[in-house]
């Protein structure tokens, strides 16, 4: 067997967000959000996956929205690239989903909880060893929970999950192993066969079961991610090199103007610091320039965090 990469946003939504994936999504969410006892018995997928039409890459991420039977909205997102402003976007999307529940004049008691579950292929919290973390509102000093816990951010950092097949002890372990390693497998592991939802997930992920259009769309997304990563690496390298050079030149100039040895060192240090800051900004601008003409402005905005106005200004100067 040859399985698709579940970490690709397109494949992730097909596996977990299709109409026939309800049982899969329930099993996955219960394993991550309610590991002690399955809480979710039923849900409704609000934006189910649909087979793609052949088109250019426009979506930089595809989330899944599910409505639980108790009224809780769960936003599930797979994110491969650590883009500028990503952490703010998560909070914004969760807060927006919470606020849009009310129509003008509705009572605030009608608001239902929102959970934002984000799976990342990069580390977000280097000081925390656990792969799964959960954030809610707490009092800063006493760490007391807010009166209600209607807004929760849950993160799964795949790089921190390094268990092998014989080390998997929970259903959550098996789901994370599937998401992280399915692409490298040639058959469904025996232990996974015992879980109907996992077995079904492997069936959906089997390339042999995808249509030609889906395979082409999947290939476009994989190429897109690969090109994005290379563009970011190149942009950062070019920007930092330019920033170091500018910082060194500025530091030497300021040091010479002071005419003192101590001043020279101080000026050089300050110039290098400013140069690094300029380099980071230049790296981001170079990245935007590389994406111009390849992606539309909205996609560049979502990918880089630059505003549409900034992107248009860079394009006019390009």
């Amino acid at each position: 067997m040859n399985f698709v990469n579940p970490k690709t946003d397109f494949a992730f939504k097909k596996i977990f967000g299709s109409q026939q994936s309800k049982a899969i999504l329930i099993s996955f969410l219960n394993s991550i959000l309610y590991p002690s006892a399955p809480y979710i018995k039923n849900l409704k997928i609000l934006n189910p996956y649909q087979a793609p039409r052949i088109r250019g890459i426009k979506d930089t991420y595809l989330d899944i929205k599910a409505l639980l039977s108790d009224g809780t909205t769960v936003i599930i997102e797979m994110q491969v690239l650590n883009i500028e402003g990503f952490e703010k976007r998560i909070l914004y999307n969760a807060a927006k989903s919470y606020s849009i529940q009310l129509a003008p004049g509705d009572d605030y008691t009608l608001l239902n909880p929102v959970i934002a579950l984000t799976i990342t292929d990069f580390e977000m919290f280097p000081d925390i060893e656990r792969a799964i973390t959960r954030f809610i509102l707490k009092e800063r000093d006493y760490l007391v929970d807010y009166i209600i816990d209607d807004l929760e951010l849950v993160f799964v950092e795949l790089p921190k999950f390094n268990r092998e097949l014989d080390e998997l002890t929970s259903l959550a372990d098996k789901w994370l192993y599937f998401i992280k390693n399915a692409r490298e497998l040639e058959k469904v592991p025996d232990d996974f066969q015992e879980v109907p939802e996992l077995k079904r997930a492997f069936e959906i992920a089997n390339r042999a079961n995808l249509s030609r259009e889906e395979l082409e769309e999947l290939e476009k997304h994989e190429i897109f991610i690969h090109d994005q990563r290379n563009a970011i690496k190149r942009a950062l390298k070019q920007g930092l090199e330019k920033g170091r050079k500018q910082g060194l030149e500025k530091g030497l100039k300021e040091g010479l103007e002071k005419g003192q040895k101590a001043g020279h060192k101080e000026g050089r240090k300050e110039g290098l610091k400013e140069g690094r800051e300029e380099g980071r900004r230049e790296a981001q601008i170079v990245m935007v320039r590389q994406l111009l003409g390849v992606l539309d402005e909205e996609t560049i905005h979502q990918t880089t965090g630059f505003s549409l106005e900034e992107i248009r200004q860079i394009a006019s100067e390009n």
Side-chain angles (χ1 to χ4, degrees):
M1 294 182 182
N2 188 357
F3 301 106
V4 300
N5 182 5
K7 292 187 290 186
T8 304
D9 50 10
F10 161 78
F12 183 83
K13 185 160 187 178
K14 177 174 175 61
I15 295 168
F16 292 96
S18 300
Q19 288 288 15
Q20 68 269 28
S21 302
K22 183 184 292 188
I24 293 175
L25 187 58
I26 290 175
S27 174
F28 174 67
L29 291 180
N30 273 328
S31 73
I32 302 297
L33 302 179
Y34 309 103
S36 57
Y39 172 78
I40 305 173
K41 303 299 182 182
N42 195 14
L43 57 75
K44 179 181 180 181
I45 299 176
L46 302 179
N47 55 342
Y49 163 87
Q50 294 181 347
R53 300 173 181 175
I54 299 301
R55 64 184 188 276
I57 296 296
K58 292 183 179 179
D59 298 324
T60 56
Y61 66 94
L62 298 167
D63 61 11
I64 300 170
K65 292 184 180 180
L67 183 64
L68 308 187
S69 55
D70 66 355
T72 299
T73 297
V74 183
I75 308 169
I76 310 101
E77 180 181 344
M78 175 73 233
Q79 183 68 26
V80 175
L81 298 171
N82 189 3
I83 61 177
E84 186 74 17
F86 172 62
E87 65 284 349
K88 289 183 178 291
R89 190 186 78 198
I90 294 171
L91 185 59
Y92 173 79
N93 285 342
K96 183 178 180 180
S97 294
Y98 187 68
S99 64
I100 62 174
Q101 297 179 60
L102 296 183
D106 284 350
D107 194 280
Y108 292 116
T109 57
L110 298 176
L111 287 168
N112 289 309
V114 172
I115 301 174
L117 170 57
T118 306
I119 303 99
T120 66
D121 200 25
F122 52 87
E123 288 193 7
M124 290 192 66
F125 312 104
D127 296 332
I128 301 177
E129 295 182 359
R130 295 198 314 271
I132 302 176
T133 48
R134 307 179 70 154
F135 295 84
I136 58 175
L137 293 175
K138 285 181 175 290
E139 201 283 328
R140 183 186 295 272
D141 296 321
Y142 293 93
L143 300 181
V144 176
D145 293 350
Y146 189 58
I147 299 173
I148 57 173
D149 56 354
D150 274 6
L151 202 61
E152 182 175 5
L153 306 181
V154 183
F155 296 90
V156 177
E157 300 168 87
L158 292 178
K160 295 180 180 179
F161 182 80
N162 297 309
R163 296 189 178 185
E164 301 297 333
L165 266 176
D166 58 356
E167 299 175 323
L168 307 181
T169 59
S170 66
L171 182 58
D173 286 348
K174 292 180 180 180
W175 275 117
L176 297 190
Y177 187 89
F178 165 77
I179 294 173
K180 187 172 182 178
N181 301 296
R183 187 179 187 180
E184 312 300 328
L185 300 178
E186 296 181 352
K187 66 174 184 177
V188 181
D190 293 338
D191 289 347
F192 287 49
Q193 297 271 11
E194 301 173 0
V195 183
E197 295 82 7
L198 273 164
K199 183 178 179 181
R200 177 56 181 155
F202 271 103
E203 292 174 358
I204 297 177
N206 190 345
R207 284 181 178 269
N209 295 329
L210 299 182
S211 67
R212 179 178 61 83
E213 291 79 9
E214 288 174 322
L215 288 172
E216 289 186 20
E217 186 75 2
L218 177 63
E219 183 180 2
K220 287 180 181 180
H221 276 260
E222 289 176 336
I223 292 174
F224 173 76
I225 292 172
H226 179 75
D227 290 347
Q228 284 276 69
R229 280 177 168 161
N230 286 340
I232 291 172
K233 289 179 181 178
R234 183 178 179 185
L236 289 172
K237 182 179 179 181
Q238 291 178 342
L240 290 174
E241 286 177 351
K242 183 174 181 180
R244 290 191 188 100
K245 183 178 179 181
Q246 290 177 342
L248 180 59
E249 292 175 350
K250 185 174 182 179
L252 289 173
K253 181 179 179 181
E254 291 181 355
L256 289 172
E257 289 176 352
K258 292 180 180 180
Q260 298 177 353
K261 187 176 182 180
H264 172 77
K265 290 181 179 179
E266 183 181 349
R268 179 179 176 132
K269 182 178 180 180
E270 182 180 349
L272 286 172
K273 180 180 178 181
E274 293 181 5
R276 282 194 293 268
E277 294 175 355
E278 293 172 3
R280 293 190 190 97
R281 177 65 178 178
E282 181 64 24
Q284 295 172 328
I285 293 175
V286 170
M287 181 171 61
V288 171
R289 286 175 181 158
Q290 290 178 337
L291 297 177
L292 287 169
V294 179
L295 305 174
D296 56 72
E297 292 179 350
E298 180 62 28
T299 301
I300 296 175
H301 160 62
Q302 294 177 352
T303 304
T304 64
F306 275 67
S307 68
L308 292 176
E309 183 179 350
E310 290 174 320
I311 293 171
R312 289 163 186 160
Q313 178 64 29
I314 295 172
S316 66
E317 297 171 353
N318 202 21

